[in-house]
Amino acid sequence: MAKPVITPIKPLEVLRRSIDKNIMVEVRGNRLYSGVLEGYDVYMNLVIKNAGETINQKSSGVFQKLLVRGDNVIFVSPSLGDSQ
Amino acid sequence: MAKPVITPIKPLEVLRRSIDKNIMVEVRGNRLYSGVLEGYDVYMNLVIKNAGETINQKSSGVFQKLLVRGDNVIFVSPSLGDSQ
Amino acid sequence: MAKPVITPIKPLEVLRRSIDKNIMVEVRGNRLYSGVLEGYDVYMNLVIKNAGETINQKSSGVFQKLLVRGDNVIFVSPSLGDSQ
Amino acid sequence: MAKPVITPIKPLEVLRRSIDKNIMVEVRGNRLYSGVLEGYDVYMNLVIKNAGETINQKSSGVFQKLLVRGDNVIFVSPSLGDSQ
Amino acid sequence: MAKPVITPIKPLEVLRRSIDKNIMVEVRGNRLYSGVLEGYDVYMNLVIKNAGETINQKSSGVFQKLLVRGDNVIFVSPSLGDSQ
Amino acid sequence: MAKPVITPIKPLEVLRRSIDKNIMVEVRGNRLYSGVLEGYDVYMNLVIKNAGETINQKSSGVFQKLLVRGDNVIFVSPSLGDSQ
Amino acid sequence: MAKPVITPIKPLEVLRRSIDKNIMVEVRGNRLYSGVLEGYDVYMNLVIKNAGETINQKSSGVFQKLLVRGDNVIFVSPSLGDSQ
């Protein structure tokens, strides 16, 4: 039986597929943002809508819109429950 | 029913739309600046008018004009209440 | 007897061979992620499936999918037991 | 009534307009320099005349001339009282 | 008597000559890895086989294969006893 | 009366004019070096002769010649008393 | 009497002249290495022979050969007593 060919995913493709869906973003300095991804660019700058902020595991507010600079991003986790 | 096409927002577009409106900028070192965005460039260097400074959550002054170097920016949050 | 010629491995080749296999990724800030590598790019941005997170040696959750920014990667260790 | 067109300011334009005027420069490591801006380049390297230095909010000396490396700049604030 | 001409070694040449030999790699965060160098690239990304890890001078495990990101490398020391 | 035209100084010009004169260089990690500038390049790498070293405000030695890497430079201050 | 023309030294020239001579290299993290310079490149990556290591001013070993990554170099000091 032939081994199936595995096509690697391009990392930015994960962002493209997450547009209009919930994501969680870990940022340097123990900052976590979760909200709906509205946009991104190749530097991993991210635009997030209704972004809840958690600093050192304490909820610290909600931003209607947030432009997060890619430089400080540690990881982005898409919410797969969102039918991706 | 057709699924609507979602067009991602370019991150810098968020800055362009925020010109002459209130923004909040988080900068490394627990610094927060809020004021009116007057200008920006592709490096996310920002020009802010009437910029209130908050360091470690304590208000520490107001600058009539501030040129913030993009390198240190963590996020920019536009004030949507500003009718954006 | 002739000395065998040794061909060095290109570092990114290690990632290519690890696609669809288990890897462990050490990230700045004492963060460790282990899961199945789904994708990567030349910046060492990584896409990991079923990524278990360990912070300061304490298990702290599982992410169905994770896009780790290459900038913060310290090392990637492929699981050779995976028949590589 | 027509909405006025807003032309964003280029960040480096703020430096150009501040030549021969007082500025304040915040530098990483809680360093603050204030003096007369004599020159700059696109990297935000700055030449400051009669630069008073404040470290951790304590005055620590005056330099007749200072070349500050742009890499470490957090913000530059022009003195608008200077008739800019 | 003529002074002998000294030809400087290119730093990457040290890596090329260390292929299939033991090396020790110091990485930011008091991490030390020693094992057999299998590959490298111009960014000093390294592939190490049978890599013993020492953190803060305590042995903390062995990895069959390790891809170390060059960004975090402080130094590489080849084992000359290996007949280099 | 016509307002005099002000020509901004290029930051590297400050270095060029300081050749063979005393300078003081602040380097990350509370290091201060003072001596005679012998050379520089566009990265602000500096060659200093008879460089006195001060770490955390304690004198810690003199180097006959020092090549300081530009990356770590915070500022350079030329000695104007040197008839510049 | 004519003022003598001063020709600035290129920083990398200091490295070229130090080949096969003793140097001292200060590296981030309070690390000091002294030995004979065998090679270098434009990134200030250095190859050092018989490199004595001093961490926090305590001698901590000797390496027969060391490839130090330029990124972490703070300064290089050539031994002028070496007849340079």
Side-chain angles (χ1 to χ4, degrees):
Chain A
M1 204 180 85
K3 204 177 164 186
V5 175
I6 300 154
T7 313
I9 302 175
K10 291 274 165 224
L12 287 182
E13 177 69 12
V14 172
L15 294 180
R16 196 189 61 77
R17 290 187 196 168
S18 300
I19 286 293
D20 213 37
K21 294 184 181 141
N22 282 311
I23 59 163
M24 228 172 72
V25 184
E26 178 82 35
V27 171
R28 285 189 204 169
N30 286 314
R31 293 165 174 277
L32 195 66
Y33 298 94
S34 54
V36 175
L37 184 67
E38 285 199 326
Y40 67 93
D41 60 22
V42 292
Y43 308 108
M44 276 202 206
N45 295 321
L46 306 171
V47 185
I48 308 173
K49 194 169 63 178
N50 301 328
E53 183 185 51
T54 310
I55 302 183
N56 292 322
Q57 286 157 52
K58 282 186 192 159
S59 177
S60 63
V62 175
F63 299 90
Q64 284 186 272
K65 194 167 289 205
L66 214 53
L67 163 52
V68 174
R69 194 172 153 93
D71 264 7
N72 303 299
V73 169
I74 294 177
F75 69 71
V76 179
S77 174
S79 285
L80 298 191
D82 253 30
S83 84
Q84 186 174 37
Chain B
M1 205 179 82
K3 203 176 164 186
V5 175
I6 299 154
T7 313
I9 302 176
K10 291 274 165 224
L12 287 182
E13 178 69 13
V14 172
L15 294 180
R16 196 188 62 76
R17 290 187 196 168
S18 299
I19 286 293
D20 213 37
K21 292 184 182 142
N22 282 311
I23 60 163
M24 227 172 72
V25 184
E26 178 82 34
V27 171
R28 286 188 203 170
N30 286 315
R31 292 165 174 277
L32 196 65
Y33 298 94
S34 54
V36 176
L37 184 67
E38 285 199 327
Y40 67 93
D41 61 22
V42 292
Y43 307 108
M44 275 201 207
N45 295 321
L46 306 170
V47 185
I48 308 172
K49 194 169 62 179
N50 300 329
E53 183 184 51
T54 310
I55 301 183
N56 292 323
Q57 287 158 53
K58 282 186 192 158
S59 178
S60 63
V62 175
F63 298 90
Q64 283 186 271
K65 194 168 288 206
L66 214 54
L67 163 51
V68 174
R69 195 172 153 93
D71 263 7
N72 302 300
V73 169
I74 294 177
F75 69 71
V76 179
S77 174
S79 285
L80 298 190
D82 253 31
S83 83
Q84 185 174 39
Chain C
M1 204 178 87
K3 204 177 164 187
V5 175
I6 300 154
T7 313
I9 301 175
K10 291 273 164 226
L12 286 182
E13 177 69 12
V14 172
L15 294 179
R16 197 189 60 77
R17 291 187 196 167
S18 300
I19 286 293
D20 213 37
K21 293 183 183 143
N22 282 311
I23 59 163
M24 227 172 72
V25 184
E26 178 82 35
V27 171
R28 285 189 203 169
N30 286 315
R31 292 165 174 277
L32 195 66
Y33 298 94
S34 54
V36 175
L37 185 67
E38 285 199 327
Y40 67 92
D41 60 21
V42 292
Y43 307 109
M44 276 202 207
N45 296 321
L46 306 171
V47 185
I48 308 172
K49 194 169 62 179
N50 301 329
E53 183 185 51
T54 310
I55 302 182
N56 292 322
Q57 287 156 51
K58 281 186 191 158
S59 177
S60 63
V62 176
F63 298 90
Q64 283 186 272
K65 194 166 289 204
L66 214 55
L67 163 52
V68 174
R69 194 172 153 92
D71 264 7
N72 302 300
V73 169
I74 294 176
F75 69 71
V76 179
S77 173
S79 285
L80 298 190
D82 253 31
S83 84
Q84 186 174 34
Chain D
M1 206 180 82
K3 203 178 164 189
V5 175
I6 299 155
T7 313
I9 300 175
K10 291 274 166 223
L12 287 181
E13 177 70 12
V14 172
L15 295 179
R16 197 189 60 77
R17 290 186 195 169
S18 299
I19 286 293
D20 213 37
K21 292 183 183 142
N22 282 311
I23 59 162
M24 227 172 73
V25 184
E26 178 82 33
V27 171
R28 286 189 203 169
N30 286 315
R31 292 165 174 277
L32 196 65
Y33 298 93
S34 54
V36 175
L37 185 66
E38 285 199 326
Y40 68 92
D41 61 21
V42 292
Y43 307 109
M44 276 202 207
N45 295 320
L46 306 171
V47 185
I48 308 172
K49 195 170 61 180
N50 301 328
E53 183 184 51
T54 310
I55 302 183
N56 291 322
Q57 286 157 51
K58 281 186 192 158
S59 177
S60 63
V62 175
F63 298 90
Q64 284 186 269
K65 195 168 286 203
L66 215 55
L67 163 52
V68 174
R69 195 173 153 92
D71 264 7
N72 303 299
V73 169
I74 294 177
F75 69 71
V76 178
S77 174
S79 285
L80 298 189
D82 252 31
S83 84
Q84 186 176 39
Chain E
M1 207 180 84
K3 204 176 164 186
V5 175
I6 300 154
T7 313
I9 301 175
K10 290 274 163 226
L12 286 182
E13 178 68 13
V14 172
L15 295 179
R16 197 189 60 78
R17 290 187 196 168
S18 300
I19 286 293
D20 213 37
K21 292 182 183 143
N22 282 310
I23 60 162
M24 227 172 73
V25 184
E26 178 82 34
V27 171
R28 285 188 204 171
N30 286 315
R31 292 165 174 275
L32 196 66
Y33 298 94
S34 54
V36 176
L37 185 66
E38 286 199 326
Y40 68 92
D41 61 21
V42 293
Y43 307 108
M44 276 203 207
N45 296 321
L46 306 171
V47 185
I48 308 173
K49 195 170 61 180
N50 301 329
E53 183 184 51
T54 310
I55 302 183
N56 292 322
Q57 287 155 52
K58 282 188 191 156
S59 177
S60 64
V62 175
F63 299 90
Q64 284 186 271
K65 194 167 288 204
L66 215 54
L67 163 52
V68 175
R69 194 172 155 92
D71 263 8
N72 303 299
V73 169
I74 294 177
F75 69 72
V76 179
S77 174
S79 285
L80 298 190
D82 253 31
S83 82
Q84 188 174 36
Chain F
M1 207 180 82
K3 204 177 163 188
V5 174
I6 299 156
T7 314
I9 301 175
K10 291 276 165 222
L12 286 181
E13 177 70 11
V14 172
L15 294 179
R16 196 188 61 77
R17 290 186 196 169
S18 299
I19 287 293
D20 213 36
K21 293 184 183 141
N22 282 310
I23 59 162
M24 228 172 73
V25 184
E26 178 81 35
V27 172
R28 285 189 203 169
N30 286 315
R31 293 164 174 276
L32 195 66
Y33 298 94
S34 54
V36 175
L37 184 67
E38 285 199 326
Y40 67 92
D41 61 21
V42 292
Y43 307 109
M44 276 203 208
N45 295 321
L46 306 171
V47 185
I48 309 173
K49 195 169 63 180
N50 301 328
E53 183 184 51
T54 310
I55 302 183
N56 292 322
Q57 287 157 50
K58 282 187 192 157
S59 177
S60 63
V62 175
F63 299 90
Q64 283 186 270
K65 195 167 286 204
L66 215 54
L67 163 53
V68 174
R69 194 173 153 92
D71 263 6
N72 303 300
V73 169
I74 295 177
F75 69 71
V76 179
S77 173
S79 285
L80 298 190
D82 252 31
S83 83
Q84 187 176 38
Chain G
M1 207 180 83
K3 204 176 163 187
V5 175
I6 299 154
T7 314
I9 301 175
K10 291 275 164 225
L12 286 182
E13 177 69 11
V14 171
L15 294 179
R16 197 189 61 78
R17 290 187 196 168
S18 300
I19 286 293
D20 212 37
K21 292 183 183 143
N22 283 310
I23 59 163
M24 227 171 73
V25 183
E26 179 82 35
V27 171
R28 284 188 203 170
N30 286 314
R31 293 164 173 276
L32 195 66
Y33 298 94
S34 54
V36 175
L37 184 66
E38 286 199 327
Y40 68 92
D41 60 21
V42 293
Y43 307 109
M44 276 203 207
N45 296 321
L46 306 171
V47 185
I48 308 172
K49 195 169 62 179
N50 301 328
E53 183 184 51
T54 310
I55 301 183
N56 292 321
Q57 287 156 51
K58 282 187 191 157
S59 177
S60 64
V62 175
F63 299 91
Q64 284 186 270
K65 194 167 287 206
L66 215 54
L67 163 52
V68 174
R69 194 172 154 92
D71 264 7
N72 303 300
V73 169
I74 295 177
F75 70 71
V76 179
S77 174
S79 286
L80 298 189
D82 253 32
S83 83
Q84 187 176 37

